[in-house]
Amino acid sequence: MAPLEVYAGQTARETILKNGFTPELFSYFLGASGGPKWFSLAGLDRVLFPEWFANVSHQIHVIGSSAGAFRTICAVQDDPLAAINRLAESYSTTTYSSDKPTPKEITEKAIDLLKVMVDEEGKQQVLSNERFKAHLIVAKCLGATRFESKFRQLSGLAMSAAANTVSRKNLSRLYTRYVFSTPGSDFTINDPYHLPTQYHELTQGNIHDALLASGSIPVVIEGVTNIEGAPRGMYRDGGIIDYHFDLSFGPDKGLVLYPHFYNKPIPGWFDKGLKGRVPHRSSYDNVVMLVPSSTFVANLPYSKIPDRKDFEVLDANTRIKYWQTVLKETDRLGEYFMNSVADGSLVNNIKPLPFKQV
């Protein structure tokens, strides 16, 4: 069985069957929240921007929340392969002083990671890139999750979950989506739930803060209260609102390339336990998903992709060895993708999206 599965919405599939699978068809690239789950896609990231998209002449919008935002910033630097490898190496070898590190220590380690991933020169490259435009998604907290107190955060999360269970639209009272974009972009988000969205420019002075905020998991990592160019407030993980995405994008009409660790995306963080909460058909009509196959995952250590629980259940040495093994194994995904695109076989293996849509 192939290590990689390819799924597409109806319009995307029809477009590719007519025109072939070429980078010129794509205007958007998506990176989801998920922390170390990203390691299962590293081999794809090592070829997509460094090689496959390398010679496109049109503008591509690279969109991410949380770990996806980190990948976004790597992809739009002048040497995306080096940046991706810095992220992978630094993230996979992160250790803490105890089995239960404080949010302060986790935050400090995250800041160190950002400095390795994108330095001052890298920031300039991000801002001046005319072909690849970065868009980082952050959630501004309006309810009790705007406080650093663990008790108040937990109560705010419980309230958010309850409100979201009734209707995802209720999140509009508790969070505002903030999108931080590189200059020279007219990028827009179309949200079927019409959650409030604000747009701000990325600058030399706010890239690290926007990235840190986008990955600031409630209770786990300290939030960010001051992002240059945006109103003061508490900014946290973009995955709170946009975990695996239920959005479409504009104004360009091109397709969306979405490497994802699962073949069934979950719209928001609070939807994880709601089996009936599925994305809208309009959000995935022009999306192509690249997903590690179940066979590929079964052959990884522990027969699973990495996740944040590994910090709790594995000692540091075991965890690092496991994660770095996965990082090496995923190069097979990148090799398969490039080979199957080159010989044309990928077009014939595109499947309809395997999940229900509303």
Side-chain angles (χ1 to χ4, degrees):
M1 183 176 180
L4 187 70
E5 296 179 337
V6 185
Y7 301 95
Q10 182 174 342
T11 294
R13 193 163 184 269
E14 292 173 354
T15 300
I16 291 170
L17 290 175
K18 179 180 178 181
N19 299 287
F21 200 99
T22 69
E24 286 73 24
L25 295 178
F26 293 86
S27 295
Y28 306 94
F29 180 93
L30 271 180
S33 302
K37 293 184 180 74
W38 163 70
F39 296 150
S40 65
L41 304 174
L44 287 170
D45 283 1
R46 289 186 180 118
V47 301
L48 288 173
F49 284 90
E51 297 182 43
W52 197 62
F53 280 129
N55 297 316
V56 297
S57 57
H58 67 286
Q59 193 172 92
I60 294 180
H61 301 279
V62 189
I63 310 143
S65 64
S66 199
F70 290 16
R71 295 165 60 205
T72 291
I73 288 297
C74 292
V76 303
Q77 293 182 59
D78 288 356
D79 189 344
L81 179 58
I84 290 162
N85 285 337
R86 288 196 303 273
L87 170 60
E89 177 65 19
S90 183
Y91 195 169
S92 67
T93 58
T94 297
T95 58
Y96 301 106
S97 61
S98 69
D99 293 338
K100 295 184 178 180
T102 64
K104 179 177 177 59
E105 182 181 4
I106 298 174
T107 303
E108 290 172 348
K109 293 282 188 174
I111 292 171
D112 291 340
L113 168 63
L114 297 179
K115 292 176 180 177
V116 170
M117 190 176 72
V118 53
D119 59 15
E120 293 305 309
E121 183 179 355
K123 291 179 184 179
Q124 293 180 357
Q125 295 170 4
V126 169
L127 297 176
S128 62
N129 196 328
E130 292 300 322
R131 284 190 305 154
F132 303 120
K133 294 295 184 181
H135 308 280
L136 313 182
I137 296 178
V138 178
K140 185 179 183 183
C141 302
L142 309 178
T145 53
R146 72 184 187 274
F147 300 104
E148 281 296 355
S149 159
K150 182 177 180 179
F151 174 78
R152 298 189 78 171
Q153 282 193 67
L154 290 173
S155 65
L157 292 173
M159 182 181 298
S160 300
N164 179 76
T165 298
V166 175
S167 172
R168 183 164 155 78
K169 291 182 179 180
N170 288 334
L171 292 181
S172 63
R173 305 172 188 173
L174 301 168
Y175 305 94
T176 296
R177 175 190 295 114
Y178 273 69
V179 184
F180 291 86
S181 302
T182 47
S185 167
D186 55 357
F187 173 76
T188 57
I189 282 177
N190 306 306
D191 181 352
Y193 292 99
H194 305 292
L195 300 180
T197 303
Q198 298 287 330
Y199 298 88
H200 291 274
E201 280 195 355
L202 278 173
T203 67
Q204 190 87 10
N206 71 16
I207 288 179
H208 278 170
D209 285 335
L211 281 168
L212 181 62
S214 188
S216 292
I217 305 166
V219 180
V220 176
I221 302 178
E222 295 175 348
V224 179
T225 57
N226 186 22
I227 302 179
E228 181 179 284
R232 288 191 65 85
M234 180 60 75
Y235 295 89
R236 297 192 187 275
D237 199 305
I240 293 174
I241 301 174
D242 299 303
Y243 191 53
H244 298 163
F245 306 109
D246 186 2
L247 306 169
S248 57
F249 310 103
D252 299 333
K253 301 300 182 182
L255 303 183
V256 181
L257 188 62
Y258 187 14
H260 194 35
F261 20 86
Y262 301 135
N263 61 11
K264 297 179 181 179
I266 300 166
W269 198 38
F270 299 110
D271 297 321
K272 290 188 286 184
L274 304 177
K275 293 184 178 179
R277 187 69 53 79
V278 294
H280 286 72
R281 190 175 302 276
S282 59
S283 296
Y284 280 80
D285 182 53
N286 68 338
V287 172
V288 177
M289 297 182 70
L290 306 177
V291 184
S293 71
S294 57
T295 300
F296 175 82
V297 173
N299 287 322
L300 294 175
Y302 307 106
S303 299
K304 73 175 191 67
I305 64 176
D307 57 60
R308 284 199 303 114
K309 291 183 179 179
D310 296 334
F311 279 111
E312 303 171 11
V313 300
L314 300 175
D315 65 78
N317 289 335
T318 302
R319 171 178 54 80
I320 291 170
K321 181 180 179 181
Y322 162 41
W323 284 2
Q324 295 201 322
T325 298
V326 172
L327 287 167
K328 292 176 183 177
E329 286 295 308
T330 61
D331 282 337
R332 293 199 291 122
L333 301 180
E335 292 169 3
Y336 175 84
F337 174 82
M338 295 297 287
N339 290 336
S340 59
V341 167
D343 65 20
S345 61
L346 187 142
V347 173
N348 299 321
N349 291 320
I350 297 177
K351 306 173 184 178
L353 294 172
F355 54 91
K356 293 182 179 179
Q357 301 146 76
V358 293

